[in-house]
Amino acid sequence: MKIICVIPARAESSRFFEKPLALICGKPMIQWVYTHCKSCEYFEEVYIATDSEKIKVACESFGARVVMTSSAHDTATERLYEVATQLPADLYVMVNGDEPLLTGEYIKQCIPEHLDTDSLFVSNLMTDFNNPVEVVDSTNLKIVTATDNRCLFISRSPIPYPKGNMNYVYHKFVGVGAFTRKALDFYHNTPRGPIEKIEENDSFRFIENHVPIYYYNCHCKSLSVDTPKDIEGVEEYLKGEGICG
């Protein structure tokens, strides 16, 4: 099975302009993500997909392979679809460029052991919330799954509601997803539904149309970077691990 990894990296983030180039312990954030992806033995190749010439130059300076994509994409998945039209593969693994702590051992957990590559398959990663404050934070997506890891619902609100008891571990989205080409074609050719629009989460492109998607718990440390302030938390963690001084 040919698997390629794609890291979307756009410059025009409304909350954090040119976020992929933000320095973490002296290196651009996108370089941390790329290095972790390259360590995954399942990937035949790793590409960075961007619409920014500045990001392209920066990524090529540390040896990354870059695919230039349109600046008109509303979602990272649509950017991935464009890459898929240029680079044939059996499975495309998308790793968000704002997940600098995810190592290869966690990233590969979105790849199932057995897969019909001609099927419409989508999987993602999640992990446990450790801080109750994060559960009520609307910037964090909460994931609810069935016993077979199939996603039941995703929301920015705390779900499920703890009416019966408090003995429940909430799960949050981790920015890694795997798609067959057939799944990306479905995504591209299917209009946004009402729940996707209101939640602003494109996983509902599949869920609202009765296409199962799966979330696997990788039990990892995830600190996604949404604002410049988040950089401080990432650097503090890396220093605590002795990874940077």
Side-chain angles (χ1 to χ4, degrees), residues 46-78:
V46 177
Y47 296 89
I48 294 172
T50 186
D51 56 358
S52 164
E53 186 66 29
K54 185 176 180 179
I55 291 176
K56 175 179 182 289
V57 170
C59 292
E60 289 179 337
S61 72
F62 56 79
R65 300 180 73 171
V66 180
V67 179
M68 294 301 292
T69 53
S70 169
S71 59
H73 297 310
D74 292 325
T75 67
T77 312
E78 197 63 47

Side-chain angles (χ1 to χ4, degrees), residues 77-108:
T77 312
E78 197 63 47
R79 194 176 305 279
L80 176 64
Y81 169 79
E82 182 183 347
V83 174
T85 64
Q86 303 176 44
L87 303 173
D90 296 308
L91 189 69
Y92 300 86
V93 175
M94 179 170 65
V95 180
N96 287 1
D98 58 4
E99 289 275 9
L101 299 184
L102 287 181
T103 60
E105 64 179 299
Y106 296 120
I107 293 168
K108 68 184 182 183

Side-chain angles (χ1 to χ4, degrees), residues 1-4 88-92 115 117-118 179-181:
M1 182 166 60
K2 180 179 180 180
I3 307 173
I4 65 172
D90 296 308
L91 189 69
Y92 300 86
L115 175 64
T117 56
D118 194 42
F179 306 79
T180 56
R181 174 59 193 271

